[in-house]
Amino acid sequence: MKSKAIALGGLLAAAVLGSQASAETLKLWTFLNPNGKNGREVALKQLIDRYQAANPSVKIQVEPQVWSELTKKFVLGANLGKAPDIVFTHGNNLRLLAESGAAADLDALIVKKWSAADAKDFLYDGLLQKARVNGKLMGVPVFPFATVLYYRKDLLEKAGKSAADLKTWDGFVAAMKAVGSETVSPMTIPLSPDRTTQTPFLTRLLDRQGRVFDDKCKPMLATDAAAEALKFQVSLFKDAKLASREDISRNLDDSWDLFLAGRAAAILNASTRAGQVAKKASWNAAGLGIGALPGISAGKAGPAVANAWFISVWEKSPNRAAAAAFVDYLVGRDGAQAWALIGGQPPLRAAVLNSAELAAPKYDLVRQIGSAISAATADLPAECRADRVYADLNEATQAVLTQGVPVAKALADAQAKAAARK
């Protein structure tokens, strides 16, 4: 009954907005095909059908595009005065939208119109902040993803531990020591500079310092916070012995295969890989646990590097208000419910995350991921070439572990590499 009320409320609100405009066709560019069969495509089709039924003066025309070309093609179309009203864009391309002037400010069109309750209900304020460039909101997040902690819940319980023991790094180290055995490494931390992931080093650095670049993209790696974080990661190899020396040369794919093969009990990896466990794990996937990253202090999760697919509106769209109304619907409670229950995506709204529907066992994975990535998020700005920082931090750790390079020197080298990158 509650979910029906939420859906009805969302449709009624959308109907009011839609009634303010005359008959309009809204052109939408996305990588999804509403006639397709995967969960997100089915969800999009249902949302469009519901919206058009409640707003008969509006027609949504979807034109599927190649995902990697969406934003550049949109900007080109905007320059020619022929862009679609709405476009899906990857978070790494938000700066391009801002510099081109192609995207409308969705703070003014959508977010500032939310009630206080609606704003509080939205789980990803950090991603909204990411999308604000020069004071304007370039898009609203629809498909969030982030680094999460994957762990063997079955092995943890067998050792007399629980997820509660993984909330802090101190608790995590103690719990995973109890889990490890001759055949199962407590954790795998891939340190190859090729095909990287967020590591405990970066997580603790973000927890203490908040960011790794200043407002002018100057790296902040040769700091006291970075020194503490690097020493901690080294201790996971040398003192706690959670990770093995073989990890020094492993890349993310190597370590992920190790986890799937049942030879490692924990790994940090992207939330988008969760579906692979049921298909590829050599162990019963019911034993999988997914959680937020451990934090330094109790009650505060470790920051997870997050990103998303966003939805943007063309600045010069002749149907700008109607386009914004539809986007608002897609990220509202009705949209959030469909994306989660049908599309298998992390819930955008607390009302959906905490709903009775999502409590059903078949949504365990969606619920765990949603809880994990909404706990604490951090942004590594793409315009600062932040993707290479993962490699810089891995190489610094390698230098300390294999060559005995002093921590300060390893960090100074990492700082210099990042600063030299254009």
Side-chain angles (χ1 to χ4, degrees):
M1 182 65 72
K2 182 178 179 182
S3 64
K4 291 181 179 179
I6 290 175
L8 181 58
L11 287 169
L12 288 174
V16 171
L17 288 168
S19 67
Q20 297 173 354
S22 57
E24 294 157 304
T25 295
L26 302 179
K27 186 181 294 185
L28 166 63
W29 280 5
T30 174
F31 56 87
L32 301 175
N33 181 351
N35 296 316
K37 298 186 182 302
N38 76 47
R40 289 189 295 190
E41 291 173 329
V42 174
L44 177 61
K45 177 68 163 59
Q46 291 194 16
L47 287 168
I48 289 173
D49 289 347
R50 293 176 194 171
Y51 191 84
Q52 291 180 154
N55 299 268
S57 64
V58 177
K59 176 177 175 57
I60 312 299
Q61 179 182 321
V62 179
E63 296 183 355
Q65 307 289 324
V66 177
W67 71 269
S68 59
E69 300 175 0
L70 269 167
T71 307
K72 290 181 181 179
K73 190 173 179 180
F74 172 74
V75 169
L76 178 61
N79 290 338
L80 297 173
K82 298 179 180 180
D85 302 285
I86 304 165
V87 65
F88 279 46
T89 191
H90 192 279
N92 289 350
N93 294 320
L94 293 170
R95 176 71 58 173
L96 173 60
L97 285 185
E99 292 174 349
S100 70
D105 178 10
L106 296 189
D107 264 332
L109 290 171
I110 296 176
V111 175
K112 287 185 177 179
K113 295 180 181 181
W114 287 348
S115 67
D118 280 339
K120 184 178 180 181
D121 188 51
F122 194 78
L123 291 171
Y124 297 99
D125 186 65
L127 287 173
L128 288 175
Q129 294 296 339
K130 174 183 175 68
R132 289 189 176 97
V133 184
N134 298 326
K136 295 183 178 181
L137 184 65
M138 296 293 96
V140 288
V142 62
F143 300 146
F145 51 91
T147 307
V148 295
L149 171 65
Y150 291 89
Y151 63 93
R152 290 287 300 276
K153 180 175 60 176
D154 53 346
L155 298 182
L156 194 69
E157 292 171 351
K158 186 177 179 180
K161 304 292 183 178
S162 71
D165 296 307
L166 308 181
K167 300 295 185 183
T168 66
W169 282 114
D170 287 344
F172 176 84
V173 170
M176 299 318 292
K177 276 185 177 181
V179 168
S181 68
E182 291 185 2
T183 57
V184 180
S185 176
M187 184 183 195
T188 178
I189 305 173
L191 291 184
S192 169
D194 176 44
R195 296 199 295 279
T196 57
T197 186
Q198 182 174 349
T199 60
F201 181 178
L202 179 57
T203 308
R204 282 183 78 97
L205 175 56
L206 288 169
D207 207 346
R208 290 195 179 278
Q209 189 169 277
R211 56 183 182 167
V212 295
F213 291 95
D214 66 13
D215 293 337
K216 296 183 178 180
C217 282
K218 179 181 177 181
M220 302 165 64
L221 303 180
T223 63
D224 290 342
E228 187 281 333
L230 176 52
K231 289 175 183 176
F232 174 75
Q233 178 149 288
V234 168
S235 76
L236 296 180
F237 285 82
K238 297 180 69 174
D239 303 323
K241 300 189 184 305
L242 292 196
S244 70
R245 290 191 67 84
E246 286 78 7
D247 279 346
I248 293 173
S249 60
R250 285 184 177 126
N251 61 39
L252 175 58
D253 291 339
D254 297 331
S255 285
W256 184 239
D257 287 343
L258 198 73
F259 180 71
L260 294 178
R263 293 169 53 205
I267 186 173
L268 305 190
N269 204 348
S271 58
T272 51
R273 286 201 171 189
Q276 295 178 10
V277 176
K279 298 176 182 178
K280 298 183 178 181
S282 65
W283 38 275
N284 189 338
L288 173 66
I290 297 177
L293 305 188
I296 295 173
S297 304
K300 180 186 176 186
V305 175
N307 209 334
W309 277 94
F310 292 77
I311 313 181
S312 303
V313 172
W314 183 24
E315 169 67 19
K316 295 183 179 179
S317 166
N319 309 309
R320 199 171 69 158
F326 180 58
V327 172
D328 192 21
Y329 174 71
L330 291 179
V331 299
R333 293 191 183 184
D334 200 15
Q337 187 176 57
W339 294 128
L341 300 183
I342 303 170
Q345 295 301 295
L348 297 169
R349 298 278 175 177
V352 176
L353 179 61
N354 300 320
S355 67
E357 290 87 348
L358 208 69
K362 67 178 180 178
Y363 297 119
D364 279 351
L365 207 58
V366 174
R367 187 176 62 256
Q368 287 183 66
I369 293 173
S371 297
I373 69 176
S374 62
T377 58
D379 177 39
L380 293 186
E383 63 270 19
C384 299
R385 294 294 304 277
D387 57 315
R388 289 297 303 164
V389 166
Y390 295 100
D392 295 335
L393 300 185
N394 281 4
E395 288 174 342
T397 308
Q398 286 178 331
V400 175
L401 284 171
T402 65
Q403 302 169 36
V405 173
V407 166
K409 175 67 165 60
L411 291 174
D413 289 346
Q415 172 86 8
K417 289 177 189 174
R421 201 171 290 128
K422 301 298 183 182

